[in-house]
């Protein structure tokens, strides 16, 4: 859906520096020089994707790679399988956030899991976005709770804010909103704030 | 005959054990008492959780946040990129520079601009000063939680020093709105550097006194050591972040693993402990404060003498269609923004992913099985700020 | 009429009448003393509603030290308190709890609305979950504007409240 055509002017220090010595000072990058992205800068990201696509040839779809960011799209029926592979094989053991976005024009709700690694040092700088889509009117998705324990409250919040029902989640319930909330989920685009 | 007899005996035994089990079950159900902690409670703040206790032991805990849910994410969709700054810093009013930091980083990526070097340094200084302010407030509340009034008064008093510095820098006591996409709002005032060094030097001396009166206090140690153990595996599984994670032996600090702005030029160590208990969770922020003092000194030292502090933006800037995900290390751990732009001057979707919301998942895990008296020191050591978690 | 009142069935009525008379009689000489006692021992209840609570905490810090003015720092038990400082935004989830806290407190009780949010809704006026001001739930004595108000402003608000108590009739 998104085409990242724009050139990224800002390039952080090269990956290899932070990989090798995280504890000590990495003082050899010059911040003010505007480097162009070279192919080697996206080495880790591309190798991650190629490994993933060789495992699941027609199940995953690359959306974009940027420095330290990679986003893939997976169909809802394959998401548990792929997530389990990401966790067990790559060591992406931490789901940092679960974010739902409503697209009324395409009649879909996109749910993104932002994954990150605590245990593998070279992956801890990379945010791996695992996205999936569901229909806007009957939103059902499999829950990733069996894979990542940390998504429990995030998924509950997504259910409440966007009305996406997570199959297999024990508590698809109200969490942050008041007990007597009787309107449609507030983060849907057709929920309008009064006077705006 | 003997067979029959033994069979009947067995049956009887089975029945009685069944009955007995039921009786015991009923009794335990009866023995449980349900307590509701908060929202009007001296400890819990703007937060409520229900617990069930069996005697003195907690057997069930269910957090119920949302008392300060103000719909920040929805409000962002109705304001443009610049108008969003003041209300986005309200969730953590005493750490407001850090929460607008990652917002600015994300918006800068969408707008395709870069901050001047001097601006980056001033940002980092403001962010470190604000981290001190936050941690001192947290420490003050922790002190009063455990009935240690001195530890409320000292940090609350020393906090005003850093607030003075930030007031001189930004013009406001706590709500700074200092980081804006493109840089910082204004340059540092005259004499700021000397004053800042003086305060930081004084504060380092004070930190030693804190350690003596609070962390080496045998009463405090007894209340927190070996209380609320969160092992390394559990910490990774539950996805906690910030000082809670580092207290469980994972050296993970966003400033180190994914250095933003000038942090890759600064020499500092990630502070972590391996004891995994409440004491470690209380001690790691203290170590962070000490490390922050070093960082501030280095930043002041390396800052370019003159130069631009902000990029001029056109009014009402429009983002390129796309999305960005940026994070910084705040007082409570990784704080990230996910922003989707559709090419207009307003963000299409803003997701604020905060440390507090991730840390609270550890609360039921830690409370179940511990004693009721340990509840305050476990709860506040989780570095949880309810307003931020609710957004 | 007095005979009617002394009748045991009308005992309650009599007590209230007598107390009315007594209060009327005491108001002149003792009212000042009673109010004087009240203004120097304002006990705020510990109810935080939003981010203004940070500045409320700073008010009892050594630099601002509101105890000089007879306002003791926030206290846990409702029944012993006589002042609510509503510290900021009141959401729809918090509103019933706020009213419940107010109802449980013993008379006389006073309310200070601290921060723009509790006065009109402030920055969050167009949010879907925030009340536009707390006047609809509880009666407010003093409004302290600011976002957040500086500790000095809050102290001034408390002093205004003391002034108000001083001039009011005792109940
Ligand atoms: S008035 Fe300002 S500081 Fe106070 S609660 Fe409202 S937004 Fe927060």
């Amino acid at each position: 859906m998104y085409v990242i055509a724009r050139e990224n002017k800002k390039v952080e220090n090269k990956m290899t520096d932070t990989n090798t010595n995280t504890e000590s000072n990495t003082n050899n990058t010059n911040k003010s020089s505007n480097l162009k992205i070279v192919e080697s800068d996206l080495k880790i990201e591309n190798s991650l994707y190629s490994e993933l696509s060789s495992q699941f040839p027609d199940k995953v779809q690359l959306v974009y790679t940027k420095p330290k960011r990679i986003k893939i799209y997976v169909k809802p029926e394959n998401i548990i399988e792929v997530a389990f592979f990401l966790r067990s094989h790559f060591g992406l053991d931490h789901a940092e956030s679960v974010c739902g976005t409503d697209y009324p024009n395409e009649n879909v709700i996109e749910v993104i899991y932002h994954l990150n690694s605590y245990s593998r040092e070279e992956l801890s700088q990379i945010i791996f976005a695992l996205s999936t889509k569901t229909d806007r009117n009957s939103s059902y998705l499999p829950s990733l709770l069996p894979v990542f324990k940390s998504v429990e409250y995030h998924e509950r919040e997504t259910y409440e804010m966007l009305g996406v029902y997570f199959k297999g989640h024990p508590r698809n319930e109200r969490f942050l909103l008041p007990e007597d909330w009787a309107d449609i989920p507030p983060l849907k685009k057709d929920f309008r704030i009064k006077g705006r | 005959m003997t067979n029959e007899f033994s069979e009947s005996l067995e049956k009887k035994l089975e029945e009685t054990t069944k009955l007995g089990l039921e009786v015991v079950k009923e009794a335990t159900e009866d023995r449980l008492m349900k307590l509701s902690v908060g929202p009007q409670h001296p400890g819990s703040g703007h937060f409520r959780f229900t617990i069930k206790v069996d005697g003195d032991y907690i057997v069930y805990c269910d957090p119920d946040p949302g008392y300060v849910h103000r719909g920040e994410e929805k409000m962002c969709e109705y304001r443009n990129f610049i108008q969003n700054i003041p209300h986005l810093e309200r969730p953590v009013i005493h750490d407001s520079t850090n929460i607008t930091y990652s917002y600015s980083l994300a918006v800068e990526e969408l707008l395709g601009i870069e901050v001047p070097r001097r601006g980056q340094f001033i940002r980092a200084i403001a962010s470190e000063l604000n981290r001190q302010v936050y941690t001192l407030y947290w420490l003050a509340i922790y002190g009063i939680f455990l009935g240690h009034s001195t530890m409320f008064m000292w940090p609350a008093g020393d906090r005003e020093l850093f607030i003075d510095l930030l007031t001189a820098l930004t013009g406001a006591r706590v709500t700074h709105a200092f980081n804006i996409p493109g840089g910082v709002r204004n340059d540092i005032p005259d004499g700021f550097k000397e004053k800042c060094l003086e305060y930081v030097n004084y504060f380092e001396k004070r930190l030693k006194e804190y350690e003596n009166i609070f962390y080496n206090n045998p009463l405090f140690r007894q209340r927190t050591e070996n209380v609320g153990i969160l092992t390394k595996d559990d910490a990774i599984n539950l996805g906690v972040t910030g000082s809670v994670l580092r207290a469980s032996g994972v050296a993970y600090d966003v400033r180190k693993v994914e250095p933003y702005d000038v942090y890759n030029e600064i020499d500092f160590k990630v502070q972590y402990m391996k004891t995994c208990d409440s004491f470690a969770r209380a001690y790691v922020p203290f170590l962070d404060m000490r490390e922050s003092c070093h960082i501030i000194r280095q930043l002041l030292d390396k800052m370019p003498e003159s130069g631009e502090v902000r990029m001029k933006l056109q009014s009402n800037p429009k983002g390129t269609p796309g999305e960005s995900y940026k994070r910084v290390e705040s007082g409570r751990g990784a704080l990230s923004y996910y922003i989707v732009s559709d090419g207009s001057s307003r963000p299409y979707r803003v997701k604020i992913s905060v440390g507090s919301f991730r840390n609270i998942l550890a609360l039921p895990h830690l409370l179940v099985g511990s004693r009721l008296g340990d509840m305050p020191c476990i709860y506040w050591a989780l570095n949880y700020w309810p307003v931020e978690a609710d957004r | 009429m007095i005979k009617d009142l002394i009748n045991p069935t009308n005992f309650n009525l009599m007590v209230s009448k007598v107390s009315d008379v007594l209060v009327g009689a005491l108001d002149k000489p003792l009212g000042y003393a009673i109010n004087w006692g009240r203004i120097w021992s304002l006990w705020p209840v510990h109810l935080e509603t939003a981010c203004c609570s940070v500045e409320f905490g700073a008010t009892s810090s050594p630099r601002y030290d509101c105890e000089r003015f007879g306002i003791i720092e926030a206290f846990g038990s409702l029944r012993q308190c006589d002042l609510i400082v509503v510290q900021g935004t009141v959401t729809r989830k918090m509103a019933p709890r706020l009213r419940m806290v107010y109802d449980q407190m013993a008379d006389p009780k006073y309310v200070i609305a601290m921060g723009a949010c509790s006065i009109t809704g402030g920055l969050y006026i167009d949010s879907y979950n925030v009340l536009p001001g707390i006047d609809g739930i509880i009666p407010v004595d003093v409004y302290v504007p600011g976002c957040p108000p500086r500790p000095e402003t809050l102290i001034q608000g408390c002093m205004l409240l003391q002034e108000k108590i001083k001039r009011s009739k005792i109940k």
Side-chain angles (χ1 to χ4, degrees), chain B residues 76-84 103 107 110-111 181 314-321 339-350:
Chain B
C76 286
E77 294 166 13
Y78 290 91
R79 289 161 166 75
N80 69 25
F81 285 117
I82 307 294
Q83 285 170 336
N84 268 329
Y103 175 76
V107 173
L110 286 174
L111 301 184
Q314 86 255 44
S315 65
N316 211 355
K318 290 191 170 54
T320 30
I339 303 182
V340 182
S341 164
D342 59 351
S344 68
S345 57
R346 293 171 179 175
Y348 186 75
R349 169 86 164 96
V350 176

Side-chain angles (χ1 to χ4, degrees), chain C residues 67-81:
Chain C
E67 269 178 58
R68 291 176 295 166
F69 303 98
I71 306 135
I72 299 161
E73 60 182 84
F75 191 73
S77 168
L78 291 174
R79 302 282 186 190
Q80 303 174 24
C81 296

Side-chain angles (χ1 to χ4, degrees), chain B residues 104-120:
Chain B
S104 308
L105 287 177
V107 173
E108 274 152 23
E109 191 184 331
L110 286 174
L111 301 184
I113 50 178
E114 197 176 351
V115 183
R117 197 169 152 76
R118 188 171 157 90
Q120 292 181 0

Side-chain angles (χ1 to χ4, degrees), chain A residues 12-69:
Chain A
E12 321 276 334
N13 60 323
K14 283 181 189 168
M15 264 114 233
T16 43
D17 297 337
T18 34
N19 285 345
T20 45
N21 40 2
T22 43
E23 285 288 292
S24 68
N25 186 10
T26 57
N27 207 350
N28 43 9
T29 43
N30 190 357
K31 204 72 205 350
S32 49
S33 69
N34 281 356
L35 298 166
K36 283 243 158 86
I37 298 179
V38 248
E39 201 49 39
S40 64
D41 271 337
L42 295 171
K43 210 168 55 194
I44 298 185
E45 290 85 346
N46 286 335
S47 72
L48 271 182
Y49 176 66
S50 58
E51 205 175 331
L52 191 65
S53 59
S54 65
Q55 180 74 18
F56 303 100
D58 40 50
K59 287 180 184 166
V60 295
Q61 203 178 319
L62 183 71
V63 182
Y64 62 73
T65 49
K66 289 193 277 186
K68 298 179 183 179
R69 303 283 180 268

Side-chain angles (χ1 to χ4, degrees), chain B residues 87-277:
Chain B
H87 80 85
L88 276 179
E89 69 182 10
R90 259 55 184 188
V92 250
I93 202 167
H94 44 329
D95 198 6
S96 57
T97 317
N98 277 322
I99 195 166
T100 48
Y101 202 152
S102 53
Y103 175 76
S104 308
L105 287 177
V107 173
E108 274 152 23
E109 191 184 331
L110 286 174
L111 301 184
I113 50 178
E114 197 176 351
V115 183
R117 197 169 152 76
R118 188 171 157 90
Q120 292 181 0
F121 271 98
I122 296 177
R123 262 186 184 183
I125 290 171
S127 142
E128 290 303 323
L129 288 175
N130 221 323
R131 194 189 318 280
Q132 307 275 36
V133 171
Y134 171 78
T135 319
L136 282 171
Y137 183 80
W138 172 85
L139 193 58
I141 302 293
Y142 202 32
I144 204 92
F145 251 52
L146 302 180
H148 198 307
S149 295
T150 315
M151 214 48 206
F152 173 75
M153 289 300 173
W154 283 13
D158 287 341
R159 179 175 165 258
E160 299 290 336
L161 295 182
F162 289 106
I163 286 187
D164 278 353
L165 285 177
L166 282 166
T167 313
L169 190 61
T170 68
R173 240 179 85 85
V174 280
T175 46
H176 310 303
F178 191 53
N179 284 328
I180 52 173
V184 291
R185 212 152 31 78
N186 42 332
D187 208 340
I188 58 172
D190 292 339
F192 177 80
K193 212 167 162 180
E194 294 76 40
K195 211 171 158 195
C196 188
L197 274 177
E198 187 191 323
Y199 283 2
V200 167
N201 287 343
Y202 165 77
F203 183 63
E204 279 214 314
K205 273 181 226 143
R206 288 286 285 176
L207 280 178
K208 274 176 209 143
E209 293 176 27
Y210 286 6
E211 190 162 20
N212 285 338
I213 201 169
F214 193 54
Y215 290 104
N216 290 339
N217 187 336
L219 273 177
F220 174 69
R221 287 207 158 219
Q222 271 182 4
R223 285 197 68 176
T224 51
E225 269 178 352
N226 291 325
V227 165
I229 303 275
L230 184 69
T231 58
K232 190 174 173 180
D233 288 348
D234 281 343
I236 290 175
N237 261 339
L238 293 172
V240 296
T241 176
S243 61
V244 185
L245 181 70
R246 270 175 268 138
S248 291
V250 186
Y252 187 95
D253 189 321
V254 181
R255 284 173 292 175
K256 204 65 168 183
V257 298
E258 192 195 334
Y260 44 94
D261 280 1
V262 291
Y263 277 103
N264 52 356
E265 300 170 26
I266 307 296
D267 181 20
F268 71 102
K269 279 208 179 71
V270 178
Q271 303 291 337
Y272 66 101
M273 283 174 80
K274 287 182 179 166
T275 47
C276 308
D277 53 0

